[in-house]
Amino acid sequence: MNRWLTEDEQRAWRGLLRMTSQLNARMNRQLQDDYGISLADYDVLVVLSEAPAGRRRVFELADALAWEQSRVSHQLARMQRRGLVARQECPTDARGAFVVLTETGRAAIERAAPAHVETVRQLVFDGLSRDQLAALTAVSSSVLDRLQATPAAR
């Protein structure tokens, strides 16, 4: 039995998709134009900048970003060519490697972060009331909890 979305559910779902798509496009454009990095670069740099010693195993990075392994590999190769990250062999696992934030990568995230946060604030949070912010937090937490509790289809 198909459970089609109600009109209200469909409007909410399509609005969510449009909103995230437009926010991602705007954030990517702002970062590219002003700092020469993509939103994907920024996402990787954030995860690495918050990690101890600015490094993570490749699989940990993939998990933190919720990206497929192939996407992570391609993204890291592009970033490595530009000197934003480096690979370090893992001394305890010959098959594994660490991704390490370089000085160039750290400088890029430190330059971009203040303006990126301001853009997020202007586009999202400055337009929300306290009640809307609480509702957004509750909705995103509820959906993320369901995603965590439900195995991904393969």
Side-chain angles (χ1 to χ4, degrees), residues 32 39 50-51 62 74 81 87 105 118 130:
Q32 286 279 4
L39 183 57
E50 293 172 346
H74 290 295
R81 284 192 296 271
R87 288 178 77 89
E118 183 57 31
R130 283 183 189 255

Side-chain angles (χ1 to χ4, degrees), residues 14-25 124 136:
R14 289 182 178 177
L16 175 64
L17 293 177
R18 275 193 316 277
M19 178 185 69
T20 56
S21 178
Q22 289 181 25
L23 281 171
N24 285 337
V124 180
L136 177 60

Side-chain angles (χ1 to χ4, degrees), residues 3-33:
R3 293 187 331 142
W4 296 104
L5 298 179
T6 66
E7 194 173 312
D8 287 343
E9 290 168 338
Q10 192 171 87
R11 189 172 30 259
W13 176 244
R14 289 182 178 177
L16 175 64
L17 293 177
R18 275 193 316 277
M19 178 185 69
T20 56
S21 178
Q22 289 181 25
L23 281 171
N24 285 337
R26 183 79 65 96
M27 297 290 112
N28 192 57
R29 198 166 34 255
Q30 182 258 336
L31 289 166
Q32 286 279 4
D33 291 349

Side-chain angles (χ1 to χ4, degrees), residues 111-126:
R111 275 192 317 273
H116 177 73
V117 170
E118 183 57 31
T119 301
V120 170
R121 179 170 297 292
Q122 289 174 2
L123 294 175
V124 180
F125 296 108
D126 287 351

Side-chain angles (χ1 to χ4, degrees), residues 16 19 124-125 128-143:
L16 175 64
M19 178 185 69
V124 180
F125 296 108
L128 298 179
S129 69
R130 283 183 189 255
D131 289 344
Q132 289 172 318
L133 176 58
L136 177 60
T137 302
V139 168
S140 60
S141 294
S142 179
V143 172

Side-chain angles (χ1 to χ4, degrees), residues 57-94:
R57 298 284 298 267
V58 175
F59 74 88
E60 292 172 329
L61 190 58
D63 286 348
L65 295 166
W67 290 1
E68 295 292 327
Q69 185 68 35
S70 62
R71 180 179 180 191
V72 173
S73 295
H74 290 295
Q75 181 64 37
L76 292 176
R78 288 188 294 271
M79 293 176 75
Q80 195 171 359
R81 284 192 296 271
R82 294 179 9 248
L84 298 170
V85 299
R87 288 178 77 89
Q88 277 182 354
E89 296 307 313
C90 179
T92 60
D93 180 0

